[in-house]
């Protein structure tokens, strides 16, 4: 039985003070000693330290939204995986479609980041997803398979990895993939992973769905056999909505 995992991706929202306030409220609600699922929040880099302090006593997993693939050096504006690990991060989100779309993160770059983050002891959420044009031209499966295979090239152990399937056309648009559409892609990701790492590793892999998950659709999405939780954007900025989604998974 796979433990469901719900992570709030706050993206470029909230000042440090606002992040601390939201994190404090979520920590009070999530508390400690949860067993049925895992819950994480991903504030901006700037807020990681302060948020880390207020959620430390709780079960919430401190998550970063990205990292660089080198440890240190002349990379203005970047933050390394080792810095995130030192700041107490549990997880890092890599290959988010917004990174791929606006910041030039190719699958090859994402792959380097994945390897570095795992090497530094972070757990990784690897995001994959097709655009609307790709879905409409019937290439969803090949696009997703390509992103999974390239993203994991040279990764020998996936026990610290979670994959998030996030159709680009569903992110922040209010359009959600139907639970059947999502489950179909999740099943195909699991089959791809089974082909590389074997059936047992694939069976253990958690695959989150992301893209306009809301309290109103979370229960149905999370009831699908291959959907193991969610990566939540917009709805994670509201405590009540985020907690309703967490409760749907837990
Ligand atoms: P959304 O974002 O829930 O606002 O659609 C999801 C994501 O980008 O992780």
């Amino acid at each position: 039985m796979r433990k469901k995992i719900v992570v709030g991706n706050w993206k470029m929202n909230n000042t440090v003070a606002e992040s601390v306030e939201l994190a404090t409220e979520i920590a009070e609600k999530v508390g400690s000693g949860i067993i049925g699922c895992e819950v994480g929040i991903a504030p901006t880099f700037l807020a990681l330290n302060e948020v880390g302090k207020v959620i430390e006593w709780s079960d919430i997993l401190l998550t970063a939204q990205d990292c660089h693939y080198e440890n240190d050096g002349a990379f203005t504006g970047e933050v390394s995986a080792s810095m995130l690990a030192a700041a107490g991060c549990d997880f890092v989100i890599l290959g988010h479609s917004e990174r791929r779309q606006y910041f030039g993160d190719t699958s090859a770059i994402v792959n380097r980041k994945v390897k570095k983050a795992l090497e530094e002891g972070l757990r990784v959420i690897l995001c994959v997803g097709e655009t609307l044009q790709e879905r409409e031209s019937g290439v969803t499966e090949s696009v997703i398979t390509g992103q999974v295979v390239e993203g994991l090239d040279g990764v020998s152990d996936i026990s610290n990895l979670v994959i998030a399937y996030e159709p680009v056309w569903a992110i922040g648009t209010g359009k959600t993939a139907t639970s059947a559409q999502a489950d179909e892609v999740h099943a195909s990701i699991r089959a791809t992973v089974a082909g590389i790492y074997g059936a047992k590793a694939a069976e253990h892999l958690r695959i989150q769905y992301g893209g306009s998950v809301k309290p109103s659709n979370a229960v149905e999405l999370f009831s699908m056999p291959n959907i193991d939780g969610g990566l939540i954007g917009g709805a994670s900025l509201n405590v009540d909505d985020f907690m309703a989604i967490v409760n749907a998974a837990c």
Side-chain angles (χ1 to χ4, degrees), residues 83-113:
M83 290 170 186
L84 296 178
C89 286
D90 300 288
F91 267 101
V92 59
I93 299 167
L94 296 173
H96 190 282
S97 65
E98 286 148 19
R99 300 292 322 170
R100 294 180 193 257
Q101 198 178 342
Y102 307 128
F103 303 100
D105 279 16
T106 60
S107 278
I109 290 173
V110 173
N111 174 249
R112 291 181 74 177
K113 293 181 175 187

Side-chain angles (χ1 to χ4, degrees), residues 7-9 11 93 96-98 127 164 166-167 170-175 209-214 231-236:
V7 175
N9 174 13
K11 308 191 180 183
I93 299 167
H96 190 282
S97 65
E98 286 148 19
C127 302
E166 300 204 302
I171 295 177
T173 57
K175 283 187 203 149
Y209 170 79
S212 301
V213 178
K214 306 178 267 268
L231 185 54
I232 321 300
S236 71

Side-chain angles (χ1 to χ4, degrees), residues 92 94-95 100 106-118 122-128 143-164 188-198 201-202 205-207:
V92 59
L94 296 173
R100 294 180 193 257
T106 60
S107 278
I109 290 173
V110 173
N111 174 249
R112 291 181 74 177
K113 293 181 175 187
V114 168
K115 285 191 280 200
K116 177 54 82 179
L118 291 173
L122 292 167
R123 294 202 273 162
V124 168
I125 297 173
L126 169 63
C127 302
V128 297
V143 167
I144 303 296
T145 303
Q147 289 175 352
V148 170
V149 171
E150 289 165 46
L152 295 180
D153 184 39
V155 174
S156 56
D157 180 1
I158 55 162
S159 50
N160 283 329
L161 184 101
V162 171
I163 291 181
S188 115
I189 293 172
R190 207 175 295 289
T192 302
V193 169
I196 309 171
Y197 298 96
L205 174 74
R206 272 104 45 95
I207 307 174

